[in-house]
Amino acid sequence: MYCILVTGIPASGKSTIAEFLSHALHLPMISKDRIKEDLFDLVGFQSREEKVQLGVASMNIMYHVAEQLMKGGQPFLLENNFEKISAKGLFILLEKYGYQAITVTLTGDYKTIYQRFLKRNNSPERHRGHVVNDCYPEKEKKAAAPIPYRHFVEGITMRGMDSFTANGPRIILDTTDFDAVDRDELVRNILTCREEVMRCCGNNPDFI
């Protein structure tokens, strides 16, 4: 059986692409950020350390839901900035249930996407729990200090955000110009990878 991982660097468009693929391929999607936002609103945090713990909890919940789908032999999609720290728990599940993961990695020109990252953090549509680090809900809303470009790049490279891959095929999607992304071609590439995975696993992709 197979699953799809949508991953990559911050502000590369992971959520949008994951939602598109979920609809196009008729797959349930589990998003770590959506889980985190619920935890931010229900639990909140009073320090960077508490925020990190909510991130760990959201990853555990994501993997728990994924495991339930694996038990039922269902294909699904996970959306997260998978990185080195994410690998162990995921690989245990893939091996335990005989799944192969098709990894879709969103990346591109770091400088261009960094500007998108800054703009997103200042957008009223961005959940404030992702933007602030010291306290949420905020006692007083104020502009968060922007992450320097050097730290943005270091976070990507040191944590392996655009080099992560699992145990199956990998598709690299350049989203420097997000509007120019050929979504139909992406679906075709995933379907090709899916056929390869299902043949390898001894399943008929026409019935999945």
Side-chain angles (χ1 to χ4, degrees):
M1 186 49 67
Y2 77 100
C3 62
I4 298 172
L5 311 178
V6 177
T7 185
I9 70 177
S12 58
K14 295 185 295 297
S15 296
T16 301
I17 292 296
E19 288 175 359
F20 164 75
L21 291 175
S22 174
H23 177 76
L25 299 171
H26 308 290
L27 294 177
M29 181 187 79
I30 311 163
S31 168
K32 179 186 170 185
D33 270 2
R34 295 289 178 84
I35 297 170
K36 281 174 68 175
E37 289 167 8
D38 283 343
L39 292 177
F40 289 157
D41 290 336
L42 291 170
V43 180
F45 57 85
Q46 300 298 317
S47 66
R48 172 64 180 170
E49 291 74 18
E50 290 184 5
K51 180 178 179 178
V52 170
Q53 288 303 309
L54 292 181
V56 173
S58 63
M59 184 179 298
N60 290 341
I61 293 170
M62 180 179 69
Y63 285 163
H64 173 73
V65 176
E67 183 171 17
Q68 305 316 302
L69 292 170
M70 288 179 172
K71 287 179 179 178
Q74 299 297 313
F76 58 90
L77 187 152
L78 300 182
E79 184 263 315
N80 179 35
N81 58 334
F82 288 96
E83 51 190 275
K84 296 173 184 177
I85 196 172
S86 312
K88 183 177 179 181
L90 176 64
F91 290 172
I92 289 173
L93 290 177
L94 294 174
E95 182 177 359
K96 180 177 180 180
Y97 294 98
Y99 272 66
Q100 283 198 36
I102 301 168
T103 303
V104 180
T105 303
L106 278 60
T107 188
D109 178 72
Y110 286 175
K111 290 184 178 179
T112 300
I113 296 178
Y114 171 69
Q115 293 302 318
R116 224 155 61 207
F117 172 80
L118 295 179
K119 183 178 179 180
R120 184 185 68 175
N121 275 2
N122 289 322
S123 169
E125 297 179 1
R126 181 66 168 165
H127 193 290
R128 291 289 295 178
H130 296 300
V131 179
V132 299
N133 286 316
D134 56 346
C135 180
Y136 182 86
E138 299 165 276
K139 297 176 181 177
E140 179 183 353
K141 187 173 180 179
K142 52 187 177 182
I147 298 174
Y149 175 68
R150 177 173 60 86
H151 293 171
F152 177 78
V153 174
E154 286 176 353
I156 293 169
T157 55
M158 292 177 64
R159 295 162 65 181
M161 288 183 180
D162 61 357
S163 61
F164 179 92
T165 189
N167 63 347
R170 184 180 184 217
I171 298 169
I172 299 176
L173 189 66
D174 188 327
T175 62
T176 303
D177 183 351
F178 193 78
D179 292 334
V181 171
D182 189 334
R183 300 188 184 191
D184 292 334
E185 181 182 12
L186 174 61
V187 170
R188 289 193 294 270
N189 289 339
I190 290 176
L191 292 176
T192 298
C193 290
R194 187 188 72 172
E195 290 175 1
E196 295 174 0
V197 168
M198 299 309 290
R199 280 196 296 268
C200 175
C201 296
N203 298 112
N204 187 342
D206 293 334
F207 294 95
I208 302 302

